[in-house]
Amino acid sequence: MLASLLHRVFQAALILVAMTVIVFIGVNVIGNPVDILISPQADQAERARIIAELGLDQPLWRQYLAFVSNALQGDLGTSYIFNQPALEVILQRLPATLELAVFAMLIAILLGIPLGLYAGLRPESPISRTIMAGSILGFSLPTFWVGMLLIMVFAVQLGWLPNGGRGETVTVLGTQWSFLTVNGLTHLFLPALNLALFKTSLILRLTRAGVREVMPQNYIRLARAKGLSNRRIIFVHALKNVLIPVVTVVGLEFGSVIAFSVVTETIFAWPGMGKLIIDSINVLDRPIIVAYLMIIVVLFVVINLVVDVAYTLLDPRVRLDGTKGA
Amino acid sequence: MTDTFSNPIESPVTAPTVSPIRKLVRQFSRSKLALAGLAVLVAICLAAIFAPLLSPQDPYDLMQLDIMDGQQAPGSTSLGHGFTFLLGTDDQGRDMFSAILYGLRISLGVGLTSAIAAALIGATLGMIAAHAGGRTEAVIMRIVDLQLSFPAILVALMILAFLGKGILNVVLALVLVEWATFARAARGSALVESQKEYIEAAVCMGLPLRRILLRHLLPNCLPPLIVIATIQVARAISLEATLSFLGVGVPITEPSLGLLISNGYQYMLAGYYWMSLFPGIALLITIVAINLVGDQLRDVLNPRNRS
């Protein structure tokens, strides 16, 4: 168990190293770092001084080592726009993104599981067919387009909800949260719904497939033969087994929700990391871009690692010795 | 007993022989929805190809634009040219109908090019992995796993952040995002197919490796790849639209549907809904039509459904 865990951690570390190389090459080899890092107004002497100061006259492998050792000390450069350490700028916006992602996931679960249960228990009913057709739309519609429609209908035409921003926030534990005020919740609802749509379709389909697979099985028949109530059979006996893949997917997809928040945050002017990265790409604030990519990579590697480890703890049939994948 | 023995010899002659392609067409036509999707898709492709003939103006010829026609509602008549703006105009007096037709060309072009390129690269690598085995397979499939563990939009954003805007850069980003799906599918079906007797027979006949791979293995691995390619075209169009909407995709001089939506979006809150809504509907119809066709193709080409 410990050996396999160490093996997985080692693999995760390898992926991290590979990604730092890719990001480093992307910034320093594909894009010309001199043009990026030095203001166009600088004269020749100034350029030469800054190039030497930044170590850009060093061989590439030495630059890479400097980059990594700085990164390990939490120094990913200074933002040109904010004139603050890039890491700090991003971490300030992390809570807003996390808040949005968590609420989106909650909406996806609260909508997806009941709808999927219904569609799985009554596959032939017209309501189920509507639910399934709706889930196809949920997969096909681009997130940004749904977000626009939501703003158009609920913010512009009906005027029920605000069209962007975070609204009033409350400071708890040193960070600001929107979900603790009524005004903040109204601001949170539309973007969270927008972000949740795709995941709702996914969870709905998984639940439906699970229900259809589980219901004809023997232990459900046994429960029926014992004369248990229909409600108990569905919510205790069936749901437990249906939820296993759903829980996995919720864990794995959390990272992808954070990735897709790039789109939702931009549309709803939600001041999180996603909006920051798009703004930074548009003004070529490279330290922010690099720092964002590094944080996201770490986040994904950690999520994958946690899900992998959770698998072994939950299901002893899965072994982490690396023989299953290859 | 003698009857049953003679039957197998005679039956191919007496039974009406149906060509496999005709059978596929017949199976495909069973779903009216998929047929409708196909019809819409063909219409959209034709509209994109013949955009210069169908559109009342060349939306990117500045000589044909009149700022006096700016922000006209759908159905209003051009002041200088006399034709009707079916879907309204944008802020510079550009006919939205024409802009959408030209935008479709870019969206479809980017989607098709990237999906085909990704299919070629992915299928080749997948089949190489399946055939070579050992370390080659491990390396290729690890890269595939790594690639697929990151969401497509992040990978694409990362590449475009390095390379900058541009149609070619978008295509490159989409190819890099999509090849892994093809590689995984191609390896999977190549592994299954290469266990079968006809491959064994081909090997026993001493055919050259290239011939076995290209003429025997590839055609039998194609069905799942075709289905994935169809769905991937829709995904690519959707992703390109998203990237362009975010302002990191195609340049302003060659607007795809996503960029049209993005340009119109700033006027949407002011009530000029048509600049953004109609390109959006065009995008939507395209994606849904491709997905409908892809779904039905999956059912038709699935060997489990062959009776």
Side-chain angles (χ1 to χ4, degrees):
Chain A
M1 179 65 207
L2 189 68
S4 65
L5 184 66
L6 281 177
H7 184 75
R8 262 274 128 71
V9 171
F10 177 68
Q11 272 186 353
L14 265 186
I15 291 175
L16 272 182
V17 171
M19 292 311 284
T20 57
V21 172
I22 291 173
V23 170
F24 182 79
I25 289 177
V27 174
N28 290 278
V29 179
I30 298 177
N32 183 356
V34 180
D35 294 343
I36 294 157
L37 292 169
I38 299 170
S39 120
Q41 284 99 335
D43 58 22
Q44 275 304 321
E46 178 77 0
R47 275 176 79 94
R49 191 185 64 78
I50 296 178
I51 287 177
E53 193 176 281
L54 291 170
L56 292 175
D57 50 351
Q58 303 280 322
L60 211 55
W61 62 270
R62 198 169 286 202
Q63 287 185 45
Y64 173 73
L65 286 184
F67 168 72
V68 170
S69 80
N70 282 339
L72 283 177
Q73 291 162 30
D75 175 14
L76 288 166
T78 306
S79 159
Y80 310 144
I81 307 294
F82 300 93
N83 219 0
Q84 278 174 321
L87 199 61
E88 209 172 279
V89 175
I90 291 177
L91 290 181
Q92 277 167 5
R93 284 163 176 74
L94 184 63
T97 298
L98 284 181
E99 184 179 56
L100 185 62
V102 167
F103 267 80
M105 223 50 196
L106 273 179
I107 293 179
I109 292 168
L110 292 179
L111 279 179
I113 292 179
L115 289 178
L117 260 182
Y118 186 90
L121 291 172
R122 296 205 177 85
E124 299 301 326
S125 93
I127 299 179
S128 301
R129 286 180 193 278
T130 318
I131 292 174
M132 292 317 287
S135 80
I136 294 179
L137 278 186
F139 274 124
S140 317
L141 304 183
T143 309
F144 76 93
W145 168 226
V146 179
M148 262 176 48
L149 277 193
L150 288 176
I151 290 182
M152 197 62 206
V153 173
F154 292 102
V156 179
Q157 300 289 332
L158 298 173
W160 290 353
L161 293 163
N163 63 20
R166 270 190 94 175
E168 282 172 33
T169 53
V170 175
T171 307
V172 176
L173 299 174
T175 41
Q176 297 183 321
W177 302 99
S178 285
F179 72 96
L180 294 170
T181 65
V182 176
N183 182 277
L185 270 182
T186 59
H187 280 83
L188 182 57
F189 182 69
L190 278 188
L193 185 67
N194 180 214
L195 196 51
L197 203 76
F198 191 87
K199 301 303 165 202
T200 309
S201 307
L202 189 68
I203 292 177
L204 188 162
R205 293 192 149 228
L206 267 179
T207 313
R208 174 179 177 270
V211 169
R212 298 204 60 183
E213 197 184 307
V214 160
M215 287 316 273
Q217 293 201 4
N218 282 337
Y219 69 90
I220 297 289
R221 276 196 218 153
L222 175 71
R224 281 202 200 290
K226 281 187 344 193
L228 294 181
S229 74
N230 208 17
R231 175 184 294 184
R232 194 175 160 78
I233 291 172
I234 292 169
F235 288 100
V236 177
H237 294 245
L239 203 57
K240 254 188 202 168
N241 287 286
V242 169
L243 283 186
I244 294 175
V246 176
V247 169
T248 316
V249 166
V250 167
L252 274 178
E253 292 292 314
F254 189 72
S256 129
V257 169
I258 288 180
F260 269 93
S261 70
V262 168
V263 180
T264 302
E265 284 176 13
T266 306
I267 299 172
F268 287 90
W270 187 264
M273 312 197 291
K275 185 164 164 33
L276 177 72
I277 180 72
I278 294 297
D279 293 344
S280 302
I281 289 176
N282 283 330
V283 296
L284 281 180
D285 195 349
R286 296 273 169 149
I288 296 273
I289 300 174
V290 171
Y292 175 83
L293 291 177
M294 291 322 298
I295 289 179
I296 285 286
V297 167
V298 171
L299 200 71
F300 268 85
V301 169
V302 169
I303 288 176
N304 282 333
L305 187 65
V306 168
V307 171
D308 267 352
V309 173
Y311 256 8
T312 26
L313 296 180
L314 290 176
D315 191 344
R317 282 171 301 181
V318 182
R319 288 275 163 263
L320 281 183
D321 50 14
T323 48
K324 71 175 170 110
Chain B
M1 283 302 278
T2 47
D3 280 335
T4 45
F5 274 117
S6 59
N7 256 344
I9 306 162
E10 282 172 24
S11 61
V13 188
T14 48
T17 47
V18 186
S19 81
I21 290 180
R22 189 169 291 177
K23 210 168 127 193
L24 282 183
V25 170
R26 192 180 296 164
Q27 278 180 344
F28 187 89
S29 324
R30 263 186 217 148
S31 161
K32 293 282 174 291
L33 203 59
L35 265 188
L38 187 64
V40 170
L41 194 58
V42 170
I44 287 174
C45 289
L46 288 177
I49 293 168
F50 296 109
L53 300 175
L54 292 171
S55 49
Q57 65 169 202
D58 179 351
Y60 300 104
D61 179 2
L62 293 177
M63 293 297 287
Q64 294 184 29
L65 301 183
D66 191 342
I67 200 79
M68 296 293 285
D69 286 332
Q71 302 174 353
Q72 294 293 313
S76 49
T77 312
S78 163
L79 295 174
H81 307 286
F83 59 83
T84 310
F85 296 118
L86 279 176
L87 302 179
T89 62
D90 71 359
D91 54 322
Q92 292 168 39
R94 187 173 286 131
D95 177 37
M96 282 317 292
F97 179 67
S98 312
I100 289 172
L101 289 182
Y102 277 81
L104 265 177
R105 294 182 129 189
I106 294 166
S107 289
L108 284 174
V110 168
L112 278 173
T113 319
S114 60
I116 291 171
L120 287 178
I121 296 171
T124 310
L125 285 173
M127 286 182 54
I128 289 175
H131 183 78
R135 189 160 292 175
T136 319
E137 183 180 27
V139 169
I140 293 178
M141 294 326 285
R142 269 291 141 86
I143 297 175
V144 167
D145 285 344
L146 181 66
Q147 170 93 64
L148 290 178
S149 67
F150 288 91
I153 190 159
L154 261 188
V155 179
L157 261 184
M158 192 158 140
I159 294 161
L160 289 172
F162 296 152
L163 298 181
K165 281 186 199 183
I167 288 193
L168 263 182
N169 292 350
V170 173
V171 171
L172 190 68
L174 292 176
V175 170
L176 279 170
V177 166
E178 290 180 345
W179 74 274
T181 321
F182 289 103
R184 182 174 276 185
R187 171 180 169 266
S189 48
L191 280 182
V192 172
E193 290 296 326
S194 54
Q195 302 291 321
K196 292 189 178 165
E197 277 147 4
Y198 69 90
I199 296 292
E200 211 173 299
V203 175
C204 290
M205 279 166 72
L207 293 178
L209 179 65
R210 229 184 61 195
R211 194 180 162 85
I212 296 177
L213 285 182
L214 291 179
R215 301 294 290 274
H216 296 248
L217 200 53
L218 184 63
N220 288 292
C221 295
L222 268 185
L225 291 179
I226 291 173
V227 174
I228 292 174
T230 321
I231 306 283
Q232 290 290 340
V233 171
R235 266 193 71 198
I237 290 177
S238 170
L239 194 55
E240 181 276 323
T242 305
L243 293 167
S244 297
F245 181 82
L246 293 174
V248 295
V250 296
I252 196 95
T253 46
E254 291 160 302
S256 64
L257 292 177
L259 196 57
L260 287 177
I261 298 171
S262 167
N263 288 340
Y265 183 54
Q266 43 188 322
Y267 296 96
M268 195 154 173
L269 298 178
Y272 304 120
Y273 65 91
W274 55 88
M275 294 179 203
S276 208
L277 187 69
F278 292 130
I281 290 175
L283 177 70
L284 210 65
I285 294 175
T286 312
I287 293 174
V288 172
I290 297 176
N291 278 340
L292 284 176
V293 171
D295 257 9
Q296 185 66 4
L297 272 183
R298 179 181 5 228
D299 289 349
V300 169
L301 293 176
N302 190 341
R304 268 183 290 174
N305 296 353
R306 275 182 210 155
S307 48

